[in-house]
Amino acid sequence: MILLVNFSSPFLRSPRAPVITEGMSSSEVLAGEAEGNGGIMGQQKNLEGYVGFANLPNQVYRKSVKRGFEFTLMVVGESGLGKSTLINSLFLTDLYSPDYPGPSHRIKKTVQVEQSQVLIKEGGVHLLLTIVDTPGFGDAVDNSNCWQPVTDYIDNKFEDFLNSESRVNRRLMPDSRVHCCLYFIAPSGHGLKPLDIEFMKRLHEKVNVIPLIAKADTMTPEECLQFKKQIMKEIHEHKIKIYDFPETDNEEEMKMIRKIKDRLPLAVVGSNTIIEVNGKRVRGRQYPWGVAEVENGDHCDFTILRNMLIRTHMQDLKDVTNNVHYENYRSRKLAAVTYNGVDNNKNKSQLTKPDTPDGMSPLAQMEEERREHVAKMKKMEQEMEQVFDMKVKEKIQKLQDSEAELQKRHEQMKKNLQAQYKELEEKRRQFEEEVNTWETHQRILEQQKLELNRTIDKGKKKKIF
Amino acid sequence: LSAGQPSRKRSHSSGGGSTLLGYIGIDTIIEQMRKKTMKTGFDFNIMVVGPSGLGKSTLVNTLFKSQVSRKSAGWSRDEKIPKTVEIKSVSHVIEEGGVKMKLTVVDTPGFGDQINNDNCWEPISKYINEQFEKFLKEEVNITRKKRIPDTRVHCCVYFIPPTGHSLRQLDVEFMKRLSHSVNIIPVIAKSDTMTVEERQEFKQRVRKELEMNGIEFYPQKEFDDDIEDKSDNDKIREMMPFAVVGSDKEYQVNGKRVLGRKTPWGIIEVENPNHCEFAQLRDFLIRSHLQDLKEVTHNIHYETYRAKRLNDNGGLHPITSNDTQESNL
């Protein structure tokens, strides 16, 4: 028996050949497909039997589960606002445990960006969660440019992804882009600080910014409401684009989304200590006047944040990062390369690399670069020659000076020598004179001695006789 | 001493100690001084310093149980944060039990709120020195007023944000520079953020850091006069910095009306010593050490400033008010 089934359902617009089921002949399948490719709004025909492509989502699901998910979350805020506690509460793990103390226990003088990874498994689904922390943010006396390390980090991650996307072998593409940035606002009750405004203005175009009010158990409900209104007003004033929840067709979901939007920015309290309240075990903070429960919707917005971040909008955050923020970055970077003919992003790559990472540099640009390079080399050569000449002149001058000095000294020594020679001559003459006188003196003495002897002899002779 | 300040201790007759043969009536001098004081009244100037949003104005209102702060016109929350530190002072005369007090609250909006907070302590230091200068000028005048108006800052309450970790760089810098020209009382603001254990830990850490940096907060150890004072002050020093909560709203708790904050999980009573240390701060500041604050300011901080000024100029020339003084004494 041959069943005729109309393949005009949109599912079959995929390029893959449809699965032939229920004993169809191939020609009919092809005909059906040709009809189906006409448009999305093709006729919605009823199927007269079970086809089985309803199984497609399950296939996608199984593939994704095998692959596992990745999510990168960044937390930014001054120290002491409970960021680490909130992360621990959100994911019900001890990311920062006593033997691996979190950034709060280390005093930082400059802003650092640190990341820690943890693999969470739940119901067979793997989630590789990366938490990026920014210890030292806003803690110094002078906090100008404390957002610079953060923006640099985000840009670096985008660049890594861009590079790996442009490679020839793209098998492994780890996605380490920052998907969401939780910004913690101190619960002053007044409004945003200049630092908050400055930071969010610089980051709202690069990453999904979700502002949170930290330590919300500081405020009474009225204060909290007032504070939230003030913050939203200031956010609109400064045209900061925080993460916006997408509209859906589902009426129920829309209701939930509207409820969330009313309570923006979310006021959260974090805690991982379990306390008994009315026989129930809840997570909360124990005060002398009561227990502030973390998961109680009346006490704080933690459950809303958790549901939104993990249970409903995680994939959407990743999509927005991929489709909006990353595309913005990419188009900006590539436009800078091809439009001006000069790579404006040269300071990010090496100076001598003539190719830009996407390998699409036009020949003209290479020529230009080469010419520039050559000109630079020539200039450098000239400069070096100049320097060399100058040095040579100096050296010659020095040598001449030393030569003159040596000459002078030589003369001096010669004169000394001559003087000494003369002295010695004098001495010798004197000495010779003395010798002469001494000799004559000796001779006289000798003569005297001789005469004496003669007289003695004479005397002796006389005596003998 | 300016007129109207009763001496704290009764002077004992030293050496000899001759016993009195009858009642003379010397001890009525206390009563006479009291009457004089009540007529003339007191001056008290308190300065509050800290980044915005820590509840400084609320605390001052709670301390003096009336709307004495700058923001007493209600929730003026849409005031913009000023670009530089400003000094705003508001004066009120409050009366209790026949005693009149002219209370001046000096506020410092904009402190620590900027992105770059270098030297944000300088306007404050300059203000304190200016007040000393004013007093000095009056004192040095040929025809002096009977009672020199005292605008010197007697006490500076510094608000530490309850991060739960330690003092910030800005806190240390400020207190180091100003602990020699004014009495600094550090308090932990908005302490209902922390549980009791967290609060104890934080206090220990803050105290250690203050010690390490050599910051002498009030009551200073070096000015303890005798054993009694020392033991009193030691007890107080153990408890400092006080962890406070301020509120000017009243709620009903167990049939009583108390000042407090109402949260969905309970009411925080401001004057309950189990909840926060506001009551201790108030007793310390107002009920026991108010006069001592003024005396230390007059005898020690002011004298230091005066000695330095006289030494520097080698005698006092007519001073213009635009003299740039060094900010560190």
Side-chain angles (χ1 to χ4, degrees):
Chain A
M1 193 163 20
I2 301 175
L3 278 169
L4 200 75
V5 179
N6 197 325
F7 284 104
S8 55
S9 147
F11 261 118
L12 286 174
R13 285 192 299 125
S14 68
R16 288 199 223 111
V19 173
I20 303 175
T21 57
E22 275 99 62
M24 296 277 320
S25 74
S26 45
S27 54
E28 271 147 336
V29 168
L30 287 169
E33 198 186 60
E35 271 179 335
N37 276 342
I40 315 172
M41 247 84 80
Q43 318 105 311
Q44 183 93 17
K45 290 275 175 67
N46 289 327
L47 302 174
E48 295 177 28
Y50 176 66
V51 179
F53 55 80
N55 223 10
L56 213 56
N58 286 351
Q59 296 175 22
V60 176
Y61 170 77
R62 255 184 288 145
K63 272 249 164 87
S64 325
V65 167
K66 250 202 293 179
R67 234 185 323 173
F69 295 92
E70 293 174 315
F71 191 67
T72 306
L73 179 67
M74 178 182 259
V75 282
V76 186
E78 293 175 6
S79 65
L81 283 181
K83 304 186 288 288
S84 318
T85 316
L86 188 75
I87 299 289
N88 285 349
S89 317
L90 267 178
F91 296 102
L92 286 178
T93 72
D94 267 333
L95 207 61
Y96 298 120
S97 58
D99 26 272
Y100 174 54
S104 50
H105 296 275
R106 296 175 252 142
I107 308 172
K108 302 283 182 192
K109 288 290 169 178
T110 56
V111 184
Q112 319 254 359
V113 181
E114 299 183 343
Q115 68 176 38
S116 39
Q117 284 194 328
V118 79
L119 182 64
I120 316 181
K121 296 191 208 174
E122 191 185 54
V125 178
H126 294 242
L127 175 67
L128 181 63
L129 178 68
T130 311
I131 307 283
V132 183
D133 210 327
T134 52
F137 179 85
D139 284 339
V141 178
D142 181 1
N143 289 316
S144 331
N145 295 327
C146 65
W147 47 78
Q148 196 63 38
V150 177
T151 43
D152 285 344
Y153 178 85
I154 296 178
D155 280 340
N156 277 344
K157 292 296 171 193
F158 277 153
E159 182 158 340
D160 286 346
F161 193 77
L162 183 60
N163 285 348
S164 65
E165 209 185 35
S166 326
R167 265 198 289 219
V168 176
N169 182 357
R170 297 204 289 195
R171 195 79 68 79
L172 311 145
M173 255 200 333
D175 184 5
S176 57
R177 298 172 291 188
V178 180
H179 297 125
C180 171
C181 174
L182 296 176
Y183 187 73
F184 285 71
I185 302 174
S188 65
H190 287 265
L192 289 176
K193 290 201 284 219
L195 178 62
D196 300 336
I197 297 175
E198 217 21 74
F199 180 85
M200 286 204 274
K201 270 218 254 200
R202 285 177 195 261
L203 256 77
H204 65 154
E205 306 258 302
K206 293 189 195 264
V207 72
N208 300 317
V209 175
I210 299 183
L212 299 174
I213 300 179
K215 291 197 169 173
D217 51 350
T218 317
M219 299 186 286
T220 65
E222 303 87 38
E223 291 170 358
C224 200
L225 226 57
Q226 187 83 10
F227 190 39
K228 285 189 188 183
K229 261 200 267 184
Q230 178 69 21
I231 291 183
M232 288 313 278
K233 196 168 85 158
E234 289 194 19
I235 286 183
H236 285 309
E237 239 181 65
H238 293 270
K239 300 208 188 30
I240 296 174
K241 297 199 224 106
I242 57 175
Y243 173 66
D244 210 3
F245 298 89
E247 313 261 319
T248 59
D249 298 325
N250 193 340
E251 184 51 47
E252 265 199 37
E253 280 185 26
M254 272 313 289
K255 251 199 286 183
M256 199 185 64
I257 289 180
R258 237 172 276 134
K259 244 201 302 180
I260 298 179
K261 281 207 183 159
D262 280 339
R263 296 178 81 155
L264 279 184
L266 302 171
V268 292
V269 176
S271 169
N272 253 349
T273 49
I274 301 189
I275 305 174
E276 283 257 346
V277 170
N278 297 340
K280 275 196 308 167
R281 290 171 68 78
V282 288
R283 285 189 292 153
R285 289 171 63 75
Q286 173 95 39
Y287 292 110
W289 48 87
V291 174
E293 295 171 40
V294 166
E295 295 185 353
N296 186 332
D298 294 328
H299 291 191
C300 73
D301 298 330
F302 174 80
T303 31
I304 298 183
L305 173 70
R306 184 193 52 199
N307 292 346
M308 180 214 83
L309 194 59
I310 303 178
R311 295 182 191 174
T312 46
H313 285 84
M314 192 180 252
Q315 187 56 38
D316 186 61
L317 282 165
K318 289 171 73 164
D319 285 341
V320 172
T321 311
N322 189 29
N323 299 342
V324 178
H325 298 295
Y326 173 65
E327 289 299 321
N328 279 346
Y329 172 82
R330 186 170 171 278
S331 52
R332 246 182 294 137
K333 188 142 202 278
L334 299 186
V337 167
T338 54
Y339 188 64
N340 294 347
V342 178
D343 190 357
N344 284 331
N345 300 324
K346 216 172 202 164
N347 52 3
K348 293 223 176 86
S349 52
Q350 276 76 10
L351 198 62
T352 53
K353 240 203 289 189
D355 288 17
T356 54
D358 52 9
M360 279 185 359
S361 46
L363 243 55
Q365 200 217 328
M366 269 175 61
E367 267 301 313
E368 177 85 39
E369 284 189 12
R370 203 168 62 80
R371 254 181 280 136
E372 243 193 60
H373 191 80
V374 165
K376 238 191 256 183
M377 295 304 275
K378 260 218 204 111
K379 213 170 71 161
M380 267 173 51
E381 223 183 282
Q382 274 183 357
E383 278 181 19
M384 289 190 18
E385 274 195 40
Q386 273 183 356
V387 170
F388 182 71
D389 280 333
M390 222 173 44
K391 283 215 177 130
V392 162
K393 259 195 264 180
E394 269 185 36
K395 205 69 196 254
I396 290 184
Q397 186 67 19
K398 248 198 255 174
L399 284 173
Q400 283 181 349
D401 284 341
S402 56
E403 203 185 308
E405 235 200 78
L406 277 170
Q407 194 81 349
K408 248 195 286 176
R409 241 193 281 159
H410 182 78
E411 299 280 318
Q412 190 97 357
M413 287 192 37
K414 248 204 336 209
K415 268 201 225 126
N416 278 358
L417 224 66
Q418 282 190 355
Q420 277 187 6
Y421 192 67
K422 273 207 202 100
E423 256 190 62
L424 278 172
E425 283 283 334
E426 264 301 320
K427 278 210 187 131
R428 171 191 279 211
R429 233 183 332 105
Q430 278 184 6
F431 182 66
E432 287 200 358
E433 274 188 27
E434 272 190 34
V435 164
N436 282 346
T437 43
W438 189 80
E439 277 192 6
T440 41
H441 196 76
Q442 263 316 76
R443 251 184 271 133
I444 293 176
L445 275 173
E446 282 238 352
Q447 274 188 359
Q448 285 186 352
K449 213 175 29 176
L450 235 67
E451 282 203 14
L452 212 63
N453 276 351
R454 252 190 256 131
T455 45
I456 292 179
D457 275 347
K458 271 197 199 138
K460 260 197 218 157
K461 267 190 207 157
K462 276 195 184 137
K463 263 210 190 130
I464 294 174
F465 287 136
Chain B
L1 293 168
S2 52
Q5 284 184 343
S7 64
R8 252 175 64 209
K9 288 188 289 224
R10 191 199 290 230
S11 52
H12 300 276
S13 60
S14 56
S18 47
T19 51
L20 300 171
L21 300 168
Y23 174 69
I24 303 181
I26 302 179
D27 53 357
T28 55
I29 191 163
I30 301 264
E31 187 58 39
Q32 297 170 28
M33 287 186 135
R34 215 173 79 85
K35 273 209 218 129
K36 264 256 166 90
T37 314
M38 286 190 29
K39 258 209 284 183
T40 48
F42 286 91
D43 280 346
F44 189 63
N45 306 321
I46 180 172
M47 175 185 260
V48 281
V49 183
S52 74
L54 283 184
K56 306 189 287 288
S57 314
T58 316
L59 188 75
V60 172
N61 284 351
T62 321
L63 264 178
F64 295 102
K65 290 239 170 76
S66 47
Q67 303 284 328
V68 288
S69 74
R70 174 176 66 97
K71 297 225 182 116
S72 40
W75 274 62
S76 50
R77 295 280 184 245
D78 1 295
E79 281 178 24
K80 301 262 171 185
I81 296 177
K83 291 285 171 188
T84 56
V85 180
E86 300 177 349
I87 311 267
K88 296 216 178 103
S89 76
V90 179
S91 294
H92 295 266
V93 176
I94 47 183
E95 183 174 333
E96 188 185 55
V99 178
K100 283 204 271 275
M101 180 156 92
K102 176 158 175 277
L103 173 71
T104 309
V105 179
V106 183
D107 204 340
T108 53
F111 178 84
D113 286 332
Q114 261 63 258
I115 296 179
N116 182 350
N117 288 316
D118 274 339
N119 298 326
C120 62
W121 47 78
E122 268 183 20
I124 298 175
S125 198
K126 202 163 83 140
Y127 177 80
I128 293 176
N129 286 346
E130 270 172 18
Q131 306 314 309
F132 280 152
E133 187 64 36
K134 255 196 257 179
F135 197 84
L136 183 63
K137 267 208 315 203
E138 287 292 338
E139 231 188 18
V140 166
N141 242 341
I142 300 178
T143 47
R144 290 203 280 213
K145 296 208 192 100
K146 193 163 88 154
R147 193 164 160 261
I148 305 177
D150 191 357
T151 55
R152 299 169 294 187
V153 178
H154 297 129
C155 155
C156 173
V157 182
Y158 186 77
F159 285 71
I160 300 174
T163 59
H165 294 296
S166 59
L167 284 180
R168 298 178 306 161
Q169 191 63 21
L170 179 61
D171 303 335
V172 171
E173 284 296 326
F174 177 85
M175 287 201 268
K176 253 210 272 207
R177 282 155 205 271
L178 263 80
S179 56
H180 296 294
S181 30
V182 73
N183 298 320
I184 293 193
I185 298 184
V187 295
I188 300 177
K190 290 198 169 172
S191 64
D192 52 341
T193 318
M194 301 187 281
T195 63
V196 182
E197 301 89 35
E198 290 170 358
R199 193 198 303 169
Q200 285 305 106
E201 267 184 45
F202 185 47
K203 271 217 257 192
Q204 298 266 32
R205 253 182 297 208
V206 169
R207 247 211 307 276
K208 217 172 11 150
E209 279 208 24
L210 287 175
E211 234 182 82
M212 252 183 4
N213 284 301
I215 298 174
E216 282 279 338
F217 51 85
Y218 181 84
Q220 293 97 334
K221 285 205 192 94
E222 33 186 359
F223 306 142
D224 282 340
D225 292 324
D226 54 22
I227 311 275
E228 203 185 289
D229 269 352
K230 194 161 160 21
S231 72
D232 278 341
N233 287 346
D234 271 344
K235 264 196 256 153
I236 292 178
R237 276 191 284 263
E238 277 302 298
M239 287 207 297
M240 284 180 89
F242 292 110
V244 295
V245 176
S247 168
D248 37 15
K249 299 206 179 59
E250 284 190 345
Y251 295 99
Q252 194 92 343
V253 168
N254 295 340
K256 284 192 303 165
R257 289 194 67 77
V258 287
L259 287 174
R261 288 167 63 73
K262 186 159 195 288
T263 60
W265 48 89
I267 296 188
I268 306 166
E269 295 170 43
V270 166
E271 295 190 3
N272 184 335
N274 293 335
H275 289 189
C276 75
E277 292 172 353
F278 171 78
Q280 282 114 316
L281 173 70
R282 184 205 39 214
D283 290 344
F284 164 65
L285 194 56
I286 300 181
R287 295 183 190 172
S288 51
H289 284 71
L290 192 72
Q291 184 57 27
D292 189 51
L293 278 165
K294 291 177 66 165
E295 281 192 10
V296 171
T297 311
H298 179 76
N299 294 340
I300 296 171
H301 297 300
Y302 172 68
E303 289 299 315
T304 319
Y305 175 81
R306 182 171 170 277
K308 193 163 182 300
R309 278 286 278 125
L310 295 183
N311 274 339
D312 273 350
N313 288 355
L316 219 50
H317 307 302
I319 318 148
T320 62
S321 55
N322 291 340
D323 259 5
T324 49
Q325 309 286 346
E326 287 140 45
S327 41
N328 285 351
L329 279 188

